[in-house]
Amino acid sequence: MLTNAVSTTRGPIVGVEQGAVRAFKGVPFAIARRFAKATPPHAWTEPHRCTAYGAFAPQPGHLDDAIEESCLSLNIWTPAGADRPLPVLLFIHGGAFVTGGGADYDGAFLAAHGPAVIVTINYRLGPLGFLQLHRHGLGEANNLAISDALAALDWVHANIANFGGDPDAVTLSGQSAGASMVIALATLPQARGKFARALALSAPGRNIMSADHADDVARRVLAEFERDASAIASVPLPQLFSAVEKVGRRLADETASGTVFGPVLDGTVIPREPGDVFADGSLRDIPLWLGSCRDEMVMFLKSTPPAAMIRVTERNVRAAYGDAGWERLLAYYRATARVDEDPYEALLSDAFWHRPMADLARHHAAAGGAVWLSRFDHRPALEPFLSQGPTHGADNACLWAHLPDFIDRPILKREGGPMTPADIDVAARFQASVLRFVTTGVPDVAEAWPWFEAGKEPLAIFGQPFHIVPLNEGARFRVWGELSRQSGVPQARAATSRISTMRSDS
């Protein structure tokens, strides 16, 4: 059944009733020509049907039928009959900045159980969102995907009250590449006052690319159109993405990161290194939750061939601490490994994911901000986690589950399925903590989960049972610290490159 029409700044829309939740899908928040900054969509007067997901952002597997200009849409789930303004969760999907979309995340269950208003968005991906052509005279602006996300945030701030949401209680959230987007967005002057808290799941340690790297990528891609570089503005999408794929394969072994795209420190859209903004206290009034999965790197080790970040992370650790330091670390990981743990994977997960996130937490806490740190240790009974353990995306699968079932992921082409009692127990706790954070800015009562502060660095473990462990204990922590003091290199940044992205949000 269709909903009543709801007014927006561009015109009225109607959605569908899903039990106790109203869903509005494929809501256009902007339009964009190729390599141009997004602009508001054309206004309309008759109610616009928003009953199905909008076009996917062009990406591998969705190129032949892609519609470039109209992929910038968002989806809203809101409880019917709310008697007060509700908190808002605005979620930015992951996918290595080249895949994914808001259609993979059905927010009806979270909306009903919040109660909260849930919003998922599309943004431009791959070369359309991240190829920096501005300094080559071929594009109108840099960081187009970041500008897309800002446009979505602006739309939510201006319109969400009409859907029962509180524009002053918006939580920026994202996973994987989306978490990198959140960390970058949170630091931008354009976003100030438009969100109240931030949740980043599985963000890598370095969340920003250098302008030099972005220029190098642009030059290499343009070289693929050597006869006429300006043709890049009009070539068919399969040809454009094919050129980018060729460049990406070469970059995997020729750069410090092995990656192609991500938010860029361009001095304009992103004027400052995000970590520096957190460290100087500019965001001390923003509650922050940083989460990761225990075995983040397993997925990337088991990919065929293994993801470039594997080689990159080992190379960076060796560069920071020397070959002897690497061997010492690996020896400690072998000596302290769990029965089911791959010491090499655990070392890489700490270097690329866990330690950098702890470093960001320390910066935010030292600047006076409230921050919570978590790790997801539960193995969902759903592939790839059933065979790979709590690897990258395990927490995300549980966050969006419609208990007692995991949801289907149409863009990733992964089916959901029934959850085990353990899945339900852990997912329910995780969802409740997220919804409490969205509502109050605190994920749990202080006695159950204290915030992160100097001298006390609690790490919440989502498993059976939920429990808290001290982060700064154990032989592994000590050897990292000793090597960092000997090398004079900050611990987290020594082990990660300046340019970081991730492959899949799972």
Side-chain angles (χ1 to χ4, degrees):
M1 185 174 71
L2 294 179
T3 67
N4 293 329
V6 178
S7 297
T8 76
T9 50
R10 307 310 294 172
I13 66 173
V14 294
V16 292
E17 301 280 355
Q18 290 184 209
V21 172
R22 296 179 299 153
F24 302 83
K25 299 177 180 178
V27 181
F29 68 84
I31 56 174
R33 293 179 294 106
R34 186 181 296 187
F35 303 134
K37 190 174 180 179
T39 58
H42 302 299
W44 59 87
T45 55
E46 294 299 315
H48 183 70
R49 287 178 68 103
C50 294
T51 58
Y53 292 115
F56 299 159
Q59 56 191 280
H62 299 283
L63 293 176
D64 292 330
D65 57 348
I67 306 173
E68 288 186 60
E69 289 196 357
S70 61
C71 70
L72 298 180
S73 64
L74 52 79
N75 314 294
I76 305 167
W77 292 266
T78 181
D83 59 0
R84 67 187 189 281
L86 297 175
V88 180
L89 176 73
L90 192 164
F91 182 78
I92 303 176
H93 71 82
F97 305 107
V98 295
T99 63
D104 263 357
Y105 306 92
D106 187 315
F109 188 87
L110 289 175
H113 286 76
V117 177
I118 309 298
V119 180
T120 69
I121 72 169
N122 288 351
Y123 56 95
R124 280 175 285 179
L125 300 168
L128 302 178
F130 295 96
L131 191 61
Q132 306 288 89
L133 296 176
H134 183 62
R135 293 204 286 185
H136 299 269
L138 295 171
E140 294 181 5
N142 285 338
N143 275 310
L144 292 175
I146 290 289
S147 295
D148 293 346
L150 280 169
L153 180 60
D154 287 343
W155 190 99
V156 168
H157 191 256
N159 292 282
I160 207 64
N162 294 343
F163 298 84
D166 183 349
D168 295 322
V170 174
T171 296
L172 273 181
S173 66
Q175 187 265 346
S176 194
S180 286
M181 297 276 284
V182 164
I183 290 171
L185 283 167
T187 68
L188 302 186
Q190 307 95 302
R192 293 293 287 174
K194 297 173 185 175
F195 72 102
R197 25 200 170 264
L199 167 62
L201 300 175
S202 295
R206 301 293 283 175
N207 298 284
I208 203 77
M209 283 186 172
S210 71
D212 288 343
H213 172 81
D215 281 346
D216 183 41
V217 172
R219 280 193 296 270
R220 290 173 184 243
V221 172
L222 290 172
E224 295 292 317
F225 303 91
E226 55 186 13
R227 293 184 180 178
D228 181 11
S230 65
I232 194 171
S234 57
V235 297
L237 288 173
Q239 185 178 342
L240 172 60
F241 276 74
S242 176
V244 169
E245 183 183 5
K246 292 177 184 177
V247 170
R249 285 198 300 267
R250 291 196 294 269
L251 281 174
D253 291 317
E254 293 179 16
T255 72
S257 69
T259 57
V260 179
F261 295 124
V264 176
L265 186 63
D266 63 354
T268 304
V269 178
I270 303 179
R272 298 180 60 196
E273 172 76 38
D276 293 341
V277 180
F278 279 96
D280 72 13
S282 299
L283 296 172
R284 66 169 60 92
D285 59 331
I286 301 297
L288 176 65
W289 176 355
L290 301 170
S292 60
C293 296
R294 189 189 69 191
D295 303 334
E296 290 277 2
M297 278 296 196
V298 169
M299 174 181 291
F300 305 101
L301 275 168
K302 291 184 178 294
S303 62
T304 304
M309 70 170 67
I310 301 297
R311 300 187 299 275
V312 168
T313 305
E314 178 178 341
R315 189 163 64 233
N316 289 339
V317 175
R318 288 181 181 272
Y321 302 128
D323 291 341
W326 166 265
E327 294 300 335
R328 183 181 173 193
L329 278 168
L330 190 54
Y332 268 86
Y333 275 75
R334 286 170 175 157
T336 57
R338 302 184 315 273
V339 173
D340 62 342
E341 183 178 54
D342 176 348
Y344 181 68
E345 181 276 326
L347 195 166
L348 296 178
S349 287
D350 279 353
F352 193 86
W353 306 94
H354 304 141
R355 295 183 59 77
M357 293 189 79
D359 192 55
L360 181 59
R362 292 186 183 104
H363 284 319
H364 195 52
V371 58
W372 290 264
L373 193 66
S374 69
R375 194 181 73 203
F376 199 86
D377 282 18
H378 175 68
R379 177 198 297 262
L382 177 76
E383 290 297 350
F385 316 109
L386 189 59
S387 58
Q388 296 183 3
T391 189
H392 192 64
D395 50 359
N396 210 33
C398 288
L399 174 60
W400 294 95
H402 289 197
L403 276 55
D405 296 297
F406 293 110
I407 63 170
D408 294 338
R409 306 287 293 281
I411 301 177
L412 280 179
K413 298 179 180 178
R414 289 183 180 168
E415 293 184 358
M419 304 172 77
T420 66
D423 291 335
I424 295 170
D425 176 63
V426 177
R429 178 62 183 260
F430 192 63
Q431 290 179 344
S433 293
V434 168
L435 290 170
R436 192 174 192 277
F437 182 74
V438 169
T439 302
T440 69
V442 178
D444 213 322
V445 295
E447 294 77 13
W449 184 358
W451 66 26
F452 196 93
E453 56 185 326
K456 297 178 182 178
E457 298 188 342
L459 175 67
I461 304 296
F462 283 91
Q464 283 193 301
F466 173 87
H467 60 286
I468 305 294
V469 299
L471 179 69
N472 56 356
E473 287 188 359
R476 295 177 179 181
F477 179 88
R478 289 193 295 273
V479 72
W480 279 106
E482 291 169 6
L483 288 172
S484 295
R485 287 190 293 273
Q486 291 168 11
S487 67
V489 179
Q491 295 185 40
R493 294 189 180 184
T496 56
S497 70
R498 182 173 179 79
I499 308 164
S500 301
T501 65
M502 58 299 304
R503 182 173 165 274
S504 169
D505 75 334
S506 297

